[in-house]
């Protein structure tokens, strides 16, 4: 069986992102100062339809697939890294809502397809079984975009959950039912507002919960009525690919800044053109190619995921390991690319008002995300290629 995408022109997400790129670029310093994405930027992204790209079509979304999402993230991330990061997280979570029970989906998207869904996937809190649902308690870090969020998608460890060997489950909670603790004072990605959220005896009805294993493996029956088979994609693979796209976008923005400045820069002592320096030329050449390769890896991974969404044929274990590794490697290539040009940025790059310095901090912060951990994903992929078991359930 093949389902047909309800999306519009394939290039429309890119065009939508490009139409607001200058606005995002203008407000990026404000996002960093506020430590959450500037309100003007959030409104522009919503008006451009960027928050509905992965929302299920049955709820008015585009259900446009990973190719559309990453194409826009390359543009948005280059203009404002924090805006790209928040789009990535919120859209990924909105896609995951499509695998929750239909009553939950109806509640979450009751206000329309452009709602924002921050949260954190790691099971950092506790869920205790009570009559009709769960009692949620605990603290969750890294809730990117929580200032602009409507609902929260968060993971917890249940006191008892027969459907999952790890007892992990995920729940949907209105933001109004938790407290936001402003802990977000960081090296980079400051504008993402990835603050802590705290729940104290919050009731979550059964229909707003799902066993993590079912959700992460793409085996929920609740999304089978979608316009595509996107619900069958494994969560960790899809999130890895989207995160890497956001990082590659940031890296491209950093490289563009470096090239623009280097083209006009003069050596402080000799006054010779910096662009004429062979070392500067070689750095740019290598960094450009690393970013091109990183983008190609992510585009190929997104194409493979969209093939699953079209046909319903699930990814095998070796495919999942390979795509996660390619996402991690794309992030590493981006980090190397930005490190290389920042090392040649000169003394002016050390000032806090340097945009290149901000992008350098953003890329290095993003590369610390656990889902694209270089060593862990390398081990996973290496084990699979050597005929061993993956050594982890998180594939």
């Amino acid at each position: 069986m093949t389902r047909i995408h309800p999306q519009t022109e394939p290039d429309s997400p890119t065009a939508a992102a490009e139409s607001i790129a200058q606005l995002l670029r203008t407000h990026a310093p404000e996002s960093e100062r506020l430590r959450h994405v500037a309100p003007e930027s959030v409104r522009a992204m919503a008006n451009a339809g960027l928050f509905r790209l992965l929302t299920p079509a049955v709820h008015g979304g585009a259900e446009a697939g990973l190719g559309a999402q990453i194409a826009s993230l390359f543009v948005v991330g280059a203009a404002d890294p924090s805006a790209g990061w928040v789009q990535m997280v919120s859209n990924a979570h909105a896609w995951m809502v499509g695998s929750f029970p239909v009553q939950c989906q109806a509640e979450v998207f009751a206000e329309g397809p452009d709602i924002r869904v921050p949260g954190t996937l790691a099971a950092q809190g506790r869920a205790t079984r009570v009559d009709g649902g769960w009692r949620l308690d605990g603290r969750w870090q890294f809730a990117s975009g929580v200032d602009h969020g409507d609902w929260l998608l968060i993971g917890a460890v249940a006191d008892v959950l027969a459907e999952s060997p790890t007892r992990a489950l995920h729940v949907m909670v209105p933001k109004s039912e938790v407290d936001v603790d402003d802990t977000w004072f960081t090296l980079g990605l400051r504008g993402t507002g990835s603050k802590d959220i705290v729940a104290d005896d919050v009731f979550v009805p059964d229909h707003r919960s799902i066993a993590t294993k079912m959700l992460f493996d793409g085996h929920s029956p609740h999304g089978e009525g979608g316009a595509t088979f996107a619900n069958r994609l494994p969560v960790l693979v899809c999130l890895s690919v989207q995160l890497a796209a956001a990082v590659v976008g940031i890296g491209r923005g950093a490289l563009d800044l470096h090239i623009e400045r280097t083209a006009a820069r003069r050596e402080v002592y000799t006054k010779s053109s910096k662009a004429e320096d062979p070392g500067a030329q070689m750095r740019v050449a290598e960094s450009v190619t690393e970013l091109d390769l990183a983008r190609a890896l992510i585009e190929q991974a997104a194409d493979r995921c969209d093939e699953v969404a079209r046909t319903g044929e699930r990814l095998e274990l070796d495919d999942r390991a390979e795509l996660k590794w390619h996402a991690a490697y794309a992030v590493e290539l981006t980090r190397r690319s930005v490190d290389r040009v920042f090392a040649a940025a000169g003394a002016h790059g050390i000032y806090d008002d340097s945009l290149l310095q901000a992008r350098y901090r953003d890329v290095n912060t993003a590369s610390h995300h656990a889902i694209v951990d270089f060593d862990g994903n390398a081990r996973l992929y290496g084990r699979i290629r050597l005929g061993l078991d993956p050594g982890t359930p998180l594939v």
Side-chain angles (χ1 to χ4, degrees):
M1 175 181 179
T2 299
R3 301 187 191 184
I4 305 300
H5 277 227
Q7 70 181 55
T8 56
E9 289 282 330
D11 292 334
S12 61
T14 303
E18 289 174 343
S19 73
I20 63 169
Q22 185 53 52
L23 182 147
L24 297 178
R25 197 172 294 113
T26 298
H27 290 290
E30 183 185 5
S31 296
E32 176 145 332
R33 179 182 61 81
L34 293 172
R35 291 182 302 108
H36 61 74
V37 179
E40 296 86 350
S41 297
V42 175
R43 283 194 294 270
M45 293 165 72
N47 291 338
L50 296 182
F51 287 123
R52 62 173 64 187
L53 289 177
L54 299 185
T55 299
V58 68
H59 300 294
E63 200 170 331
L66 256 64
Q69 166 82 324
I70 68 161
S72 64
L73 287 174
F74 291 144
V75 177
V76 175
D80 180 352
S82 292
W85 190 267
V86 169
Q87 178 191 327
M88 177 270 296
V89 169
S90 183
N91 286 2
H93 290 177
W95 159 66
M96 292 168 64
V97 173
S99 289
F100 275 73
V102 292
Q103 185 179 350
C104 174
Q105 296 183 43
E107 290 177 3
V108 172
F109 295 114
E111 299 300 318
D114 298 306
I115 59 100
R116 271 80 71 186
V117 187
T120 179
L121 295 188
Q124 300 174 38
R126 305 179 308 281
T128 304
R129 199 72 168 111
V130 295
D131 187 28
W134 303 91
R135 187 185 74 235
L136 195 66
D137 297 277
R139 175 181 289 268
W140 290 258
Q141 293 181 296
F142 309 117
S144 299
V146 69
D147 292 284
H148 305 291
D150 303 291
W151 287 76
L152 301 172
L153 171 60
I154 51 181
V157 177
D159 57 345
V160 56
L161 188 65
E163 303 95 311
S164 176
T166 62
R167 293 186 287 118
L169 83 159
H170 276 76
V171 298
M172 292 298 306
V173 181
K175 191 180 76 170
S176 59
E177 295 184 6
V178 304
D179 295 319
V180 177
D181 187 7
D182 187 0
T183 57
W184 194 243
F185 299 90
T186 58
L187 173 70
L189 291 177
R190 295 173 181 174
T192 63
S194 303
K195 303 167 183 176
D196 289 11
I197 52 179
V198 181
D200 182 14
D201 194 20
V202 173
F203 175 69
V204 180
D206 273 327
H207 70 267
R208 286 203 258 115
S209 68
I210 188 171
T212 297
K213 181 172 176 55
M214 178 186 291
L215 176 65
F216 277 21
D217 285 347
H219 288 296
S220 169
H222 306 300
E224 287 294 307
T228 70
F229 292 104
N231 62 299
R232 297 187 182 182
L233 284 160
V235 164
L236 295 181
V237 169
C238 284
L239 185 57
S240 298
V241 172
Q242 294 174 69
L243 187 150
V247 176
V248 171
I250 301 171
R252 178 59 67 178
L255 182 59
D256 289 344
L257 287 168
H258 175 74
I259 290 174
E260 180 182 4
R261 183 166 183 272
T262 301
R265 186 176 159 206
R266 296 281 173 175
E267 288 283 0
V268 67
Y269 293 112
T270 67
K271 308 304 180 186
S272 61
S273 168
K274 191 64 179 177
E276 293 290 348
D277 176 29
Q281 296 161 3
M282 293 169 66
R283 284 178 183 271
V284 167
E286 193 166 359
S287 289
V288 167
T289 302
E290 283 173 331
L291 283 173
D292 287 346
L293 290 172
R295 178 165 180 154
L297 284 173
I298 297 308
E299 288 175 336
Q300 291 169 12
D303 286 346
R304 183 68 184 91
C305 290
D306 284 344
E307 182 182 349
V308 172
R310 285 192 299 272
T311 67
E313 296 177 6
R314 298 180 184 274
L315 292 172
E316 299 294 336
L317 181 62
D318 55 345
D319 292 322
R320 293 162 67 166
E322 181 177 77
L323 294 182
K324 283 189 85 255
W325 167 239
H326 285 178
Y329 198 69
V331 170
E332 175 64 11
L333 286 171
T334 304
R335 187 194 64 78
R336 294 176 189 174
S337 172
V338 174
D339 281 1
R340 182 180 300 101
V341 296
F342 183 73
H348 285 89
I350 68 172
Y351 288 98
D352 284 344
D353 62 357
S354 165
L355 291 178
L356 182 59
Q357 187 233 65
R359 301 299 177 265
Y360 170 78
R361 290 188 284 103
D362 292 335
V363 165
N364 278 277
T365 298
S367 67
H368 283 268
H369 196 290
I371 205 168
V372 288
D373 176 71
F374 187 83
D375 293 344
N377 281 289
R379 286 194 301 270
L380 166 65
Y381 186 55
R383 288 181 65 89
I384 293 293
R385 292 304 297 262
L386 289 167
L388 303 175
D389 65 80
T392 174
L394 299 177
V395 184

